[in-house]
Amino acid sequence: MADQSFKQKGFVLWLTGLSGAGKSTIAEIVEGELRSRGLNIEILDGDIVRKELTRDLGFSKEDREENIKRVTFVAKLLSRNQVACICSFISPYREMRDRIRRETTNFIEVFVDASLESVSERDVKGLYKKALSGEIPNFTGISAPYEVPDMPDLHILTDEQTPLQSATQILEYLEDVGLAPYSKLF
Ligand SMILES: Nc1ncnc2c1ncn2[C@@H]1O[C@H](COP(=O)(O)OP(=O)(O)OP(=O)(O)O)[C@@H](O)[C@H]1O
Ligand SMILES: [Mg+2]
């Protein structure tokens, strides 16, 4: 049951990491849990945003920056109006992530960390195979850089955890900083 006394604040839970690291998987679990605790929440996910909002963009550094710039604009509007916002984007450049922190309310950088070895083994979308054969250019971790976060608010090691454990780590953090109500069993 939702905690009726909890006053929701807006925030931006920003999941960054390699393709296949687990951003979307974790985002969905956290979203479901927070919704059931009564929060107003939206997910902005890389794959959906690229279909709906930034279809015109590719994967050059400039286009990746523009992609994140537009998402930041949306996250800014949501977070300043008390909406919880979960954003899952590879977002490989440190500078772009620092900009989001400056422009949004209660920005939380979550480094969804998995080794290149394990993401290419998972190869959920079959993209690593194509990137390694050169079929896809500018692929993060293979032919484009990923700048590891220096000081993320949270560091999640998905090689060593289940998705549920990773989501729980995030939920506990949000509870600790007062951005999510504790779940009530009664
Ligand atoms: N601890 C974990 N957290 C999240 N996913 C995990 C974990 N352990 C294993 N996985 C698996 O890793 C895969 C992650 O795929 P997912 O689509 O979530 O990645 P992504 O980071 O969103 O990638 P992309 O940037 O391409 O959208 C899933 O198949 C998931 O089941
Ligand atoms: Mg994803």
Side-chain angles (χ1 to χ4, degrees):
M1 200 173 82
D3 177 356
Q4 300 298 337
S5 65
F6 181 82
K7 185 135 184 1
Q8 177 167 3
K9 296 187 200 85
F11 63 81
V12 176
L13 184 79
W14 190 276
L15 309 182
T16 172
L18 296 174
S19 177
K23 303 178 297 296
S24 302
T25 306
I26 296 168
E28 275 182 30
I29 302 174
V30 173
E31 182 207 21
E33 181 57 30
L34 291 180
R35 203 182 286 286
S36 78
R37 296 186 197 181
L39 294 199
N40 292 322
I41 188 159
E42 289 290 347
I43 287 192
L44 292 165
D45 184 79
D47 286 343
I48 296 161
V49 165
R50 277 190 174 274
K51 260 194 222 123
E52 302 291 338
L53 186 68
T54 57
R55 193 187 268 278
D56 53 317
L57 301 175
F59 291 86
S60 66
K61 183 162 194 267
E62 292 69 33
D63 279 9
R64 286 174 190 266
E65 277 168 354
E66 178 62 21
N67 185 43
I68 297 302
K69 214 167 138 200
R70 291 186 204 170
V71 173
T72 302
F73 177 71
V74 179
K76 175 170 123 184
L77 300 187
L78 293 173
S79 62
R80 76 180 183 197
N81 282 290
Q82 291 75 49
V83 178
C85 193
I86 304 182
C87 303
S88 40
F89 293 85
I90 296 172
S91 43
Y93 296 103
R94 228 171 258 139
E95 204 266 322
M96 66 169 61
R97 297 190 302 260
D98 290 345
R99 181 150 21 93
I100 314 162
R101 187 185 293 279
R102 290 195 297 274
E103 292 186 13
T104 59
T105 303
N106 294 323
F107 175 79
I108 303 152
E109 185 178 22
V110 183
F111 178 22
V112 182
D113 189 359
S115 64
L116 192 56
E117 197 186 11
S118 80
V119 289
S120 27
E121 218 166 81
R122 287 178 194 167
D123 209 4
V124 188
K125 300 174 182 168
L127 297 175
Y128 282 92
K129 192 160 172 268
K130 289 186 183 162
L132 284 164
S133 73
E135 204 182 315
I136 305 177
N138 290 334
F139 196 80
T140 302
I142 306 290
S143 43
Y146 179 77
E147 297 176 358
V148 169
D150 284 331
M151 287 215 320
D153 300 286
L154 267 172
H155 189 172
I156 307 270
L157 300 166
T158 69
D159 284 354
E160 298 168 12
Q161 292 181 333
T162 65
L164 193 57
Q165 285 170 328
S166 301
T168 302
Q169 193 181 334
I170 292 176
L171 288 161
E172 285 174 353
Y173 176 88
L174 293 173
E175 290 165 356
D176 284 349
V177 297
L179 291 172
Y182 290 95
S183 65
K184 286 268 160 69
L185 294 175
F186 305 102

